[in-house]
Amino acid sequence: AGSLMTTKHSQPQSTFAKSLTSTSTNTPYFKAAESTEIPSYVTKCPSNGLCSRLPPDCMTCNTNYSCVYGKPATFDCRVKPHVHCLDQNNHEQENFTINMTCQFCWQLATTDYVCTNSTNCMTVSCPRQRYNATCTVRDHIHCLGNRVFPKMLYCNWTGGYKWSTALALSITLGGFGADRFYLGQWREGLGKLFSFGGLGIWTLIDVLLIGVGYVGPADGSLYI
């Protein structure tokens, strides 16, 4: 009986030992597989191009603390792993320098970054409304600090309404409220329609207001 119990208990122990052995041998395999994965930034990095023209996501640069704001400066950079680039002589290199203006990303010109647009604010209001936008620097532009930053911008969007069409309707069919109907201002349009353009006075006033851009689309957008 003693030998039987020993035999029965020895089998699970050997099986458990085998499972430990198989698990421990597989662990390095999974780690090796994870290390061979290509980082997501590699898709943004052109292969065998000039190192100095790589997008900022493809390189790591040292901060030049001696640079003067607004002046050209040189920064020492190194390509990230799995990124391949060339120098002017078509030789592969890892360390290189880039030249750029010493300034933060949020101080760039408006043409150097792209911002989100808002369609919930009024563009034809006094004072002009602003909205919180999220801006991203373009890939070929180098700057200091965060490449994604918040910024307060003026409302500047359009719903597709044409100023020329609104003015033409105001001059020709303004007495029937066609200009107000076109701009989405239904109550004012009905008022002009049933009052025959305010006996012509409202019509003349609307021609002037639309002509100078004071009266715009009801959704708050800009003319195109």
Side-chain angles (χ1 to χ4, degrees):
S3 62
L4 180 60
M5 291 180 63
T6 304
T7 305
K8 287 183 178 180
H9 284 289
S10 62
Q11 289 178 355
Q13 289 177 358
S14 62
T15 305
F16 180 69
K18 289 181 179 179
S19 64
L20 286 177
T21 305
S22 60
T23 303
S24 61
T25 54
N26 288 337
T27 301
Y29 173 77
F30 288 114
K31 289 184 177 179
E34 292 177 354
S35 63
T36 57
E37 291 183 359
I38 299 177
S40 58
Y41 61 79
V42 176
T43 57
K44 302 179 182 179
C45 308
S47 180
N48 295 329
L50 288 176
C51 294
S52 57
R53 295 186 180 179
L54 284 174
D57 292 337
C58 307
M59 66 180 74
T60 302
C61 298
N62 297 326
T63 303
N64 186 352
Y65 293 100
S66 62
C67 72
V68 180
Y69 171 73
K71 301 293 183 180
T74 302
F75 293 81
D76 296 325
C77 302
R78 180 183 179 87
V79 293
K80 290 184 177 180
H82 303 283
V83 177
H84 303 280
C85 61
L86 306 175
D87 59 9
Q88 297 290 345
N89 298 322
N90 293 330
H91 296 152
E92 188 170 354
Q93 64 176 165
E94 294 183 355
N95 300 307
F96 57 96
T97 59
I98 60 171
N99 298 317
M100 69 178 189
T101 304
C102 182
Q103 61 182 350
F104 289 100
C105 295
W106 58 271
Q107 296 172 320
L108 293 170
T110 55
T111 55
D112 293 335
Y113 53 83
V114 180
C115 299
T116 57
N117 203 356
S118 174
T119 58
N120 297 324
C121 57
M122 300 291 290
T123 59
V124 285
S125 63
C126 186
R128 290 183 63 187
Q129 290 187 4
R130 293 173 179 260
Y131 69 98
N132 291 318
T134 301
C135 303
T136 305
V137 181
R138 299 183 185 274
D139 288 340
H140 64 283
I141 302 297
H142 297 279
C143 56
L144 302 176
N146 295 328
R147 299 185 61 82
V148 179
F149 53 90
K151 196 166 189 177
M152 292 289 293
L153 298 178
Y154 284 112
C155 295
N156 188 26
W157 63 283
T158 178
Y161 295 95
K162 292 184 177 181
W163 173 82
S164 58
T165 302
L167 183 60
L169 290 174
S170 183
I171 295 173
T172 57
L173 301 174
F176 301 99
D179 50 352
R180 293 283 185 164
F181 286 126
Y182 171 73
L183 296 175
Q185 302 175 6
W186 297 96
R187 289 178 295 181
E188 292 82 353
L190 291 173
K192 291 182 70 174
L193 177 62
F194 291 112
S195 66
F196 299 103
L199 299 178
I201 299 176
W202 194 350
T203 302
L204 294 176
I205 293 176
D206 270 359
V207 171
L208 177 62
L209 294 180
I210 294 176
V212 298
Y214 185 81
V215 173
D219 58 5
S221 63
L222 292 174
Y223 288 116
I224 59 174

